């Protein structure tokens, strides 16, 4: 029978004690896999990876071995030990205390707010693939992104089972669309066409060198989010689902990224492979006469995926605000639940933050600032800077995660041994590989600008400045909350306040 480690009663967070009585246990293993895939698997990354040529497969495999699998092992161990709401927030609190717990939680939460803008922008890009004349002005793109965020807000405050059922349907459709990409590559070869990327071991570009090493870092960034489904730890109906989702979710991600890369490399001309539109192009080229119709269907499925993917980001990252409110790190109102027993205030707060940032980046700044760039170009620069900076912050939280497991092994040795998933040396290896891989992801983000519209010096200044400022804000929020929020309240009072 599966078990979890008992918490040290002297270091039990209020959220660990009461969150399970406030939120319903509705998530099964399939739900957790669907959430994992929605968070981690952005199939457009397959198109980006093709820029490394045949070496992309080596970089994918390195990314799986040095980051995805170690991250899954570490997350599984920590999740089995302390399956509370908030994942890294809870685990780091156990390992390092309240300040680092809140700080790690903030570093894990802040990316979710900005990724919601990225998923909304993906919807814009996919609409433009259907009709290049649509949504050209930056302000129109901003309006669509805000509508996507609003859609996610509505779905995120419905009864959780209803929302998750919809997410599961889209997950299956998304998987089918990705399978079509792989089949398209195979059909392209079977119908007598030559591969558009040379995969021959004698003449293909398999070498890892200074010209393509940055793709390793990009692949690490494509695999971020392993621990996010456990933000809803107390809502999992069976503890076995923790290891099951990590196993099967990782398998789905590995197969999907390799299939996507293969399909694009085979069926799409090399000059077009790096574009996100290469995904639909692969299907159009590979399936012959029915290709254009299937390409449109795949694009529509991807639009649906990113609509619901934004919802998954919204409700899963809102749980970090929820537990912060229960533990009085932030105002208790953040933990208010509605009649559906969903933390609606947390969802609304982060949706508003995301929408405001969208308005600044796409509607206000491009038309108010005189930078010498056009409105569309400036919105692209702001978007790229925000996403890159937040990627650095997310990587910081992942470094903390890999360190957590080593501290936990010493601090809670008996509990650790009771649910140990692997020999101790495996966890040390995972921690080392994970930290190195994450650090390389940060390095690549700083050294490989995502846009050519600003200079390298400006890129470093803005990325570093926003990342450092965000980390300072996270620390200040803890200090302010600690100094101003009452903590001398009982569990019963908190429960009454958040459910009333």
């Amino acid at each position: 029978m599966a078990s979890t480690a008992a918490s040290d009663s002297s270091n039990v967070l209020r959220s660990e004690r009461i969150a399970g009585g406030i939120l319903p246990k509705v998530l099964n293993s399939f739900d957790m896999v669907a959430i994992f895939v929605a968070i981690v698997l952005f199939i457009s990354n397959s198109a980006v990876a093709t820029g490394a040529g045949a070496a992309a497969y080596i970089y994918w495999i390195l990314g799986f071995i040095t980051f995805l699998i170690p991250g899954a092992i570490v997350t599984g161990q920590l999740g089995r030990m302390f399956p509370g709401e908030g994942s890294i927030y809870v685990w780091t609190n156990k390992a390092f205390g309240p300040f680092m717990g809140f700080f790690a939680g903030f570093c894990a939460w802040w990316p979710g707010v900005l990724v919601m803008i990225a998923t909304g922008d993906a919807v814009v890009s996919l609409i433009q693939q259907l009709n290049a004349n649509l949504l050209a002005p930056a302000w129109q793109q901003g309006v669509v992104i805000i509508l996507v965020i609003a859609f996610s807000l509505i779905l995120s405050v419905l009864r959780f089972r209803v929302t998750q059922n919809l997410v599961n349907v889209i997950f299956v459709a998304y998987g089918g669309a990705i399978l079509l990409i792989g089949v398209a590559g195979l059909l392209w070869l079977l119908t007598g066409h030559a591969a558009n990327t040379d995969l021959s071991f004698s003449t293909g570009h398999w070498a890892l060198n200074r010209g393509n090493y940055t793709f390793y870092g990009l692949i690490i960034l494509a695999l971020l989010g392993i621990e996010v489904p456990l933000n809803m730890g107390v809502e999992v109906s069976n503890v076995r689902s923790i290891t099951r989702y990590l196993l099967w979710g990782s398998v789905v991600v590995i197969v999907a990224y390799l299939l996507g890369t293969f399909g694009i490399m085979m069926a799409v001309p090399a000059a077009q492979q790096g574009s996100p539109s290469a995904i639909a192009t692969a299907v159009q080229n590979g399936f012959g006469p029915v290709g254009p119709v299937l390409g449109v269907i795949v694009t529509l499925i991807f639009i649906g995926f990113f609509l619901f993917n934004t919802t998954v980001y919204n409700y899963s990252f809102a749980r970090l605000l929820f537990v912060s409110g229960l533990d009085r790190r932030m105002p208790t109102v953040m933990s208010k639940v509605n009649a559906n027993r969903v933390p609606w205030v947390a969802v609304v707060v982060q949706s508003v933050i995301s929408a405001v940032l969208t308005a600044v980046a796409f509607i206000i700044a491009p038309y108010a600032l005189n930078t010498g760039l056009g409105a569309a170009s400036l919105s692209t620069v702001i978007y790229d800077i925000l996403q890159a900076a937040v990627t650095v912050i997310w990587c910081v939280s992942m470094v903390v995660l890999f360190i957590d497991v080593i501290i936990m092994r010493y601090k809670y040795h008996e509990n650790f041994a009771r649910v140990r998933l692997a020999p101790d040396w495996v966890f040390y290896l995972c921690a080392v590989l994970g930290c190195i891989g994450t650090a390389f992801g940060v390095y690549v983000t700083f050294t490989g600008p995502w846009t050519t519209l600003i200079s390298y010096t400006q890129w470093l200044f803005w990325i570093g400045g926003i990342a450092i400022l965000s980390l300072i804000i996270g620390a200040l929020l803890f200090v302010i909350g600690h100094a101003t929020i009452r903590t001398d309240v009982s569990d019963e009072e908190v429960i009454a306040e958040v459910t009333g």
Side-chain angles (χ1 to χ4, degrees), residues 182-214:
V183 172
L186 185 61
L187 288 176
W188 179 262
L189 297 178
L190 292 177
T191 51
H193 297 92
N196 283 289
T197 299
D198 185 1
L199 298 183
S200 166
F201 288 108
S202 57
T203 59
H205 297 101
W206 290 92
L208 308 185
N209 53 56
R210 294 185 64 181
N212 61 26
Y213 76 97
T214 56

Side-chain angles (χ1 to χ4, degrees), residues 310-333:
T310 308
T311 302
V312 173
Y313 269 91
N314 208 338
Y315 68 59
S316 57
F317 282 81
R319 267 52 177 188
L320 291 169
L321 291 180
F322 169 77
V323 292
S324 294
L326 291 183
D327 293 326
R328 314 292 285 184
R329 309 285 193 251
M330 298 189 74
T332 309
V333 69

Side-chain angles (χ1 to χ4, degrees), residues 142-164:
V143 169
V144 171
I145 294 171
I146 291 172
L147 289 175
V148 170
I149 294 168
F151 177 79
S152 77
L153 187 160
I154 293 169
L155 286 184
S156 296
V157 298
L158 298 178
R159 190 161 61 89
F160 196 14
R161 185 66 264 165
V162 172
T163 301
Q164 191 56 48

